Amino acid sequence: MNFKPPEARSSSSTVLSSGSVVTAEKAFSFISKGWREVRSSADADLQLLKNRANSFKNLADRELENFINSASKSPFSVPTITASATFNPAPPAEIDFVKRLQPKLSEIRRAYSSPDFKLYPRPQIKIDLSAIKNAIVAEVEEDEQEAKERFNTWRRVMYKEREKEEQFGEFWEPIRTLKSRLRELENKSSSEILEGIKNSEFVEKFKSSLKAICKDPNESKEVPPLDVPELLACLVRQSNPLLDQLGISRGISDKIVESLCSKRKSQLLLRSLPAGESSILESENINDELDLRIASVLQSTGHCYEGGFWSDLGKHDVLDSNKKRNVAIVTTASLPWMTGTAVNPLFRAAYLAKSAQQNVTLLLPWLSRSDQELVYPNSMTFTSPEEQESYIRSWLEERVGFKADFKISFYPGKFSQSRRSILPAGDTSKFISSKDADIAILEEPEHLNWYHHGKRWTDKFNHVVGVVHTNYLEYIKREKNGALQAFFVKHINNWVVRAYCDKVLRLSAATQDLPKSVVCNVHGVNPKFLRIGEKVAEEKERGEQTFSKGAYFLGKMVWAKGYKELIDLLAKHKKDLDGFNLDVYGNGEDAHEVQSTAKRLDLNLNFMKGRDHADDSLQGYKIFINPSVSDVLCTATAEALAMGKFVVCADHPSNDFFMEFPNCLTYKTPEDFVAKVKEAMTNEPQPLTPDQRYSLSWEAATQRFMKYSELDKVLNSSCRSNGMKKSTSLPNLNELVDGGLAFAHYCLTGNEFLRLCTGAIPRTRDYDKEHCKDLHLLPPEVENPIYGW
């Protein structure tokens, strides 16, 4: 132990009181007594360890002698283990393995039998009590000479103890000697005796395991930190959401990242890369290599970032692997309103539930009696949600041919006559219980969240998928000041989709390019239309006449649904299409205006009331004409192709999926439209092949949906959070931006004045009394009380 004498004090501090001296003596006595107890305890432990070491040596001697005696009496052979791990036993032959090994073992025995052999070292205990000593000296103001004498006496005692401990100071020396002799034994005998064993796969693995256990921590080489170009590249890449909102395209930011990484490359080319450093020169994919580089740096530092700034860290309970996952499909319309957002989510729920791999809930808007009269055809109304649910299930089972086992729930909705759509009233996410909140599918996510004032979908659900049905920008551009409105709606859609969805599916490229989106048709057609197509193909094989009528158009009678384009084409080429008659089926808000315009232009259009596309009166038509460019993916077009008809439609991104079918005739110019109509009138459509029919089915659409929404991966993962924080390697700027957008949106939609300025229906932040009565809900002021003075 290293002790230092106390510092010399001035003569002015030599006067001590008798009470201070007694206090110092008691302090030293207490410390000495404690030290003696520690020392005696350590001596007893050392003696116990020495006894155990001696017993171990005796036991090793006996076992070694037994091994040598048994090996010398019964010869054995050592098989050679090849690199391919194939054992080819050698013929029995006695080798002098034991004879050569025995001298070496004798040396080992002499080494550990030596009286100097110690199993392990007793560490030298070095305690620096100078701080304690100085504190005591400063406290009691002891006489300098007396303090020195006491300290010298204490130091002599400590040095005697140190001399006793030094006899145990070289415990590890015999072990090092044994290790060196074992290494010599291996070097001398491996080439002669154990050459096959040394080259074997087992020995190599055993040696590598020992190296891993005994690895020197100093051997690991540090990963160099991120340099300035890499930090800037990471910042620019994670700033894509913010740059996108500012109008800077992703391509420009990618070029900036590539430029910064190229600087990194040029620097690395000027010097040799140290071992273990991740290089961005190894691959052409800059983003992947940058991710690997960041991950290696973070792993070397042991940094772990817990969750996001805005994220909800405790979502749900852990899901038992034996239980099913829960899928909630939320849509903006319901039958009997025959619109795409009412029909397609209904079929999606049925076919997702058909697999019986997950529990499915379909969440539909419930309208009050006055709104039902405005929306549902033929003045159809329902007095209760149960009555409407019964109607929906009957309609569905008649068409799919099986009983779909899924749950139907309702949320409060209001019909906006100006927008001609249903908007949610209140927090829609509340109508899915927390225990069932697992996976959410938002049909028209932008529409559902324009005025959403409630819990963030991605906070309540583990995975949120948005399905974009409608090209809202195309509709808005047709209105007054449409360009300005479309500009704001475009950025609002980007805002809400980024804030509330994990993945977005766009049915076609005709929709707005939204964040986190991919283009894929995830809709199928009613199986009834496929059966009609099969029936038509059978009639053609028998040589029967399949189509007895000409052309028709079916769609909701509003200008934006293609009626404007249809009237313009027929009016411009009235002479070229002389004798061509077109039957039009549909109801809608613009019905009177559309009919009066066609009558004024003297067009050969026969207007009839809207009806189901599978109606018997529509099966005899050969040509379906759909000039609409506002649709995202026209369901009626898919149904007409499934029935084996010709379809004449515009060469537009909304029709990309249909162009692979031979009966789909697309046109680019008005003149081309006339040519395609005449071609369809003079020819017969081709029957669909089995593959073409399957691609139109809901089974194929469901498979595409599971793949492109990544729902198959989510459903196969049985792990759900249980109050456990998400652990990521780095704070993700995307998550911060998304969370910030969601928080800002929540604040803005909570203000009634701002809601009204953006076109919301008055008093729709919460549901009204009529909804409370119909859906058996508590009044908003009771469920969400406001406390104050």
Side-chain angles (χ1 to χ4, degrees), residues 153-169:
T153 303
W154 192 10
R155 186 175 60 178
R156 285 194 296 271
V157 174
M158 294 298 102
Y159 283 170
K160 290 181 180 180
E161 297 299 330
R162 181 182 177 185
E163 291 175 0
K164 292 181 180 180
E165 292 171 358
E166 285 179 353
Q167 62 180 333
F168 304 103

Side-chain angles (χ1 to χ4, degrees), residues 203-272:
V203 174
E204 292 298 328
K205 289 184 177 180
F206 181 73
K207 289 172 66 178
S208 62
S209 300
L210 289 178
K211 289 180 180 179
I213 296 173
C214 305
K215 184 178 180 181
D216 187 0
N218 296 326
E219 293 180 1
S220 60
K221 298 184 178 180
E222 295 183 357
V223 178
L226 297 175
D227 54 17
V228 175
E230 289 174 328
L231 290 173
L232 291 177
C234 181
L235 179 61
V236 171
R237 191 179 62 175
Q238 292 199 352
S239 301
N240 281 335
L242 181 60
L243 298 176
D244 186 29
Q245 294 292 331
L246 297 176
I248 300 176
S249 65
R250 187 175 292 263
I252 297 177
S253 60
D254 290 341
K255 290 182 180 179
I256 296 174
V257 173
E258 185 177 357
S259 176
L260 292 171
C261 291
S262 65
K263 293 182 180 180
R264 165 74 175 171
K265 287 182 180 181
S266 62
Q267 294 175 3
L268 293 177
L269 289 174
L270 297 177
R271 62 180 176 86
S272 60

Side-chain angles (χ1 to χ4, degrees), residues 642-657:
M643 290 189 288
K645 304 178 186 295
F646 273 126
V647 172
V648 178
C649 58
D651 187 357
H652 188 260
S654 61
N655 297 317
D656 285 345
F657 178 78

Side-chain angles (χ1 to χ4, degrees), residues 7-15 142-144:
E7 298 177 358
R9 291 192 288 266
S10 62
S11 60
S12 59
S13 61
T14 58
V15 180
E142 188 180 21
D143 180 70
E144 181 179 4

